[in-house]
Amino acid sequence: MNEREEIKELTSLLKSKVPIILIESHEEPRILKLLHQACNLEQQVMFRWSITDGITRFTRDDPIYNTNNLVDALKHIDKSPQNGVYAFCDAHPGLKDPVNVRLIREIALEHYKSARTLVFVSPKLEELPSEVLRLAAHFRPQLPTRDEIKSIIAEEADLWRSQSGETARAERGLVDTLILHLMGLEQDDVRRLVRQALRVDGELNSDDLRRVLATKHAALGGGEALGFETSNVRFADVGGLARMKHWINLRRGPFLDSMRGMSTDSPKGVVLLGVQGGGKSLAARAIAGEWNVPLMRLDFGALYNKYYGETERNLRQAFAVAEGMAPCVLWMDEIEKGVATAGSGEQDGGVSRRVLGSLLTWMSERKKPVLIVATANDISALPPELVRKGRFDEIFFVDFPNAAAREQIFRIHLKKRGLDPAQFDVAALASDAPEFSGAEIEQAIVAASFEARARNAQVDTAAIAAELQRTRPLSVVMAERIDALRAWAADRAVMADDAEDAADA
């Protein structure tokens, strides 16, 4: 919807004699300009109210005496014979006062006698009582389209060139990604972020993209329950899991195309089931990093609230933010701790059952490309309606890394600490760590580094091998539970890796 269509919609609302119009937006100057144009078309006088100025005619600087307080302004309008459109800017704090609510209703109920339309323009209009909402219509300003954002970037690049004499630069392929993530923001925010990026160094780069995503997350109201990060982890940083990596790589194009309206089918998500320390969390971060999309982490602990209905409200808010951040990866870590099984709902007053119901509904109805990556250690704790086909595309079982994957993991963590893998017998170390998890391999290298530093010596193969010998891996400590998990996954899940896949990775 362009500006002309927005004016047309506002004009239609004025023609229909709606007594109250609600506009939720941060773009106050732009909204007032649109409203004034609509009033001119309808030949109606427009007034503006704010707590600092009181009531003033929109085109003049002549405030009406003693109308700064909302209650006084409403009393003035209620008694005044002056018809017209009264735009209230940031009046939402006063809408909790029952006196103000009553005055608004009296003005609205008399609209058929005197055409006085009340328009409330605020960033948030959540506190309106139902008796006001029944008399109101919503006008929702349209967010800029992909083409409009592209035009804004071009305009700001031209402005930068005219002011600095230099041509704006951009990292390869970054503009398209930036446009994807600027979608969902208001026009003023888009222009401000692009201008800010260019004013720093005349370049659009990865730092600017991270700034845009952080700003968007804050603007959408992302709180403690839904964390945000830009992942720098890539598949090259994850040892093994070749089959899962291949599956993910095939779906990157359709996932991003769905955001551009170029694909009807988009991947829904995956469950990563497996042993603790096997790399599930790292894989979730790597998917977001490989696709260059934000990673949203849903914290079920921060989601739950002791007050009735607040948990479900927090969950709906988290889903709204995730869709606003699309395209993105939504990581639900240890999902079995956050949703109800057959009997758990009775222990918490039914909260976990309602959370499950809200989750299932959203998973079925979401429209934006949000890939869910759910990690779990105990599949038996998950309700069957959550893990059936259609909710998730696939269930991958992440086992302890095989020999080839262990060699990859040793090389990754040695390089991470500035050590040259060529100076170590990586094959021997991999052989000395049968059924070690990636986390256990990393800790063996860390422990060997501490020991070597204490002796003022260099880390070598023997030092790491000694730490491996001293370690009792989870595969031994929790052997029975791990065997049961493997038995469940054998016929029900896809192996995230195997010897042949790992050798080819």
Side-chain angles (χ1 to χ4, degrees):
M1 181 185 291
N2 56 34
E3 184 176 293
R4 183 178 298 177
E5 291 172 332
E6 288 181 309
I7 294 171
K8 183 179 178 181
E9 184 176 342
L10 280 170
T11 305
S12 176
L13 289 174
L14 295 177
K15 283 181 178 179
S16 63
K17 308 298 182 185
V18 176
I20 302 172
I21 299 175
L22 306 176
I23 306 177
E24 193 168 308
S25 173
H26 290 83
E27 298 182 291
E28 183 183 297
R30 190 177 82 86
I31 296 302
L32 293 178
K33 179 183 174 183
L34 293 174
L35 184 60
H36 184 237
Q37 290 176 278
C39 288
N40 286 340
L41 291 173
E42 287 300 296
Q43 298 181 345
Q44 294 195 41
V45 181
M46 177 175 164
F47 296 87
R48 174 186 177 274
W49 174 89
S50 72
I51 197 169
T52 55
D53 298 328
I55 298 176
T56 60
R57 194 153 177 169
F58 186 70
T59 54
R60 300 178 190 170
D61 189 16
D62 52 347
I64 297 173
Y65 177 71
N66 198 30
T67 57
N68 293 72
N69 290 329
L70 181 58
V71 63
D72 294 327
L74 292 170
K75 286 179 179 178
H76 171 82
I77 296 170
D78 190 31
K79 295 175 181 177
S80 172
Q82 176 65 63
N83 293 337
V85 175
Y86 293 83
F88 288 83
C89 300
D90 290 338
H92 53 281
L95 299 178
K96 299 177 183 178
D97 188 331
V99 175
N100 291 335
V101 171
R102 181 59 203 174
L103 283 167
I104 291 170
R105 287 200 71 209
E106 288 181 358
I107 296 169
L109 292 171
E110 293 291 317
H111 188 270
Y112 70 98
K113 294 180 182 178
S114 51
R116 289 167 296 184
T117 304
L118 306 182
V119 181
F120 292 93
V121 183
S122 294
K124 289 186 178 181
L125 289 169
E126 298 177 349
E127 304 295 335
L128 286 171
S130 58
E131 57 266 32
V132 172
L133 290 174
R134 291 190 58 160
L135 298 168
H138 288 266
F139 170 76
R140 292 179 173 82
Q142 294 301 300
L143 300 174
T145 64
R146 179 181 175 82
D147 290 339
E148 288 169 342
I149 293 173
K150 191 173 182 179
S151 296
I152 291 173
I153 294 175
E155 290 168 10
E156 292 301 319
D158 289 342
L159 181 62
W160 165 258
R161 184 173 63 249
S162 67
Q163 293 178 346
S164 67
E166 300 177 5
T167 301
R169 305 178 304 278
E171 290 182 5
R172 189 179 188 89
L174 185 122
V175 172
D176 284 342
T177 304
L178 184 64
I179 290 172
L180 275 179
H181 293 302
L182 284 170
M183 293 179 71
L185 292 175
E186 294 178 334
Q187 188 179 111
D188 288 352
D189 290 331
V190 171
R191 190 173 295 279
R192 175 174 52 81
L193 287 168
V194 173
R195 185 172 295 178
Q196 179 183 359
L198 289 174
R199 287 296 183 275
V200 174
D201 52 11
E203 181 182 24
L204 297 176
N205 53 40
S206 301
D207 289 338
D208 300 317
L209 181 61
R210 283 190 286 272
R211 188 184 304 112
V212 165
L213 292 171
T215 301
K216 189 174 183 179
H217 180 251
L220 291 169
E224 295 181 357
L226 192 67
F228 155 75
E229 62 182 87
T230 51
S231 175
N232 294 319
V233 181
R234 300 292 187 269
F235 281 162
D237 303 317
V238 182
L241 309 184
R243 183 174 290 165
M244 187 214 71
K245 292 176 183 178
H246 177 70
W247 189 96
I248 290 293
N249 284 332
L250 290 179
R251 285 154 179 80
R252 181 181 186 274
F255 179 77
L256 296 179
D257 286 346
S258 65
M259 187 67 183
R260 303 183 180 104
M262 300 166 59
S263 175
T264 56
D265 295 320
S266 177
K268 296 180 176 66
V270 293
V271 176
L272 302 182
L273 165 69
V275 297
Q276 293 180 347
K280 302 185 297 298
S281 298
L282 187 65
R285 288 190 167 94
I287 292 171
E290 197 74 19
W291 286 8
N292 198 22
V293 298
L295 178 68
M296 315 301 295
R297 180 174 181 177
L298 185 63
D299 183 351
F300 284 103
L303 189 72
Y304 279 81
N305 190 292
K306 64 180 181 180
Y307 295 108
Y308 185 85
E310 283 298 299
T311 299
E312 297 90 313
R313 190 185 70 81
N314 291 342
L315 184 62
R316 289 193 297 272
Q317 174 66 13
F319 290 154
V321 172
E323 291 204 60
M325 293 293 291
C328 68
V329 169
L330 177 58
W331 174 24
M332 299 182 182
D333 194 21
E334 296 188 339
I335 190 174
E336 69 271 23
K337 295 181 180 179
V339 296
T341 53
S344 64
E346 299 174 359
Q347 302 171 10
D348 58 12
V351 175
S352 56
R353 287 181 179 175
R354 294 194 296 273
V355 166
L356 174 62
S358 298
L359 174 59
L360 295 178
T361 299
W362 178 76
M363 289 175 70
S364 299
E365 296 180 355
R366 73 185 187 275
K367 304 298 182 184
K368 299 290 185 68
V370 178
L371 184 82
I372 301 174
V373 178
T375 57
N377 299 317
D378 183 6
I379 195 72
S380 65
L382 291 176
E385 60 267 36
L386 179 63
V387 294
R388 70 164 176 81
K389 282 286 186 178
R391 307 290 190 196
F392 292 95
D393 299 308
E394 198 60 85
I395 300 175
F396 285 102
F397 179 66
V398 180
D399 205 342
F400 292 115
N402 54 41
R406 292 197 298 275
E407 288 189 30
Q408 292 178 17
I409 294 169
F410 272 108
R411 291 191 184 96
I412 289 169
H413 288 295
L414 288 170
K415 286 181 181 177
K416 186 177 178 180
R417 287 157 181 83
L419 302 171
D420 183 5
Q423 302 300 315
F424 294 80
D425 190 346
V426 175
L429 289 173
S431 179
D432 288 343
E435 295 212 324
F436 272 55
S437 69
E440 290 164 341
I441 290 172
E442 180 181 16
Q443 286 308 305
I445 296 173
V446 170
S449 299
F450 289 155
E451 288 285 344
R453 183 175 179 178
R455 300 194 312 271
N456 198 24
Q458 295 292 323
V459 182
D460 56 15
T461 300
I464 297 175
E467 289 299 330
L468 293 173
Q469 287 295 321
R470 283 193 284 267
T471 302
R472 292 295 176 267
L474 194 66
S475 59
V476 174
V477 176
M478 304 291 290
E480 295 80 10
R481 291 185 60 180
I482 291 169
D483 287 342
L485 187 60
R486 283 173 171 163
W488 184 95
D491 299 321
R492 298 177 177 90
V494 174
M495 298 297 108
D497 201 359
D498 59 33
E500 183 178 352
D501 288 332
D504 294 338

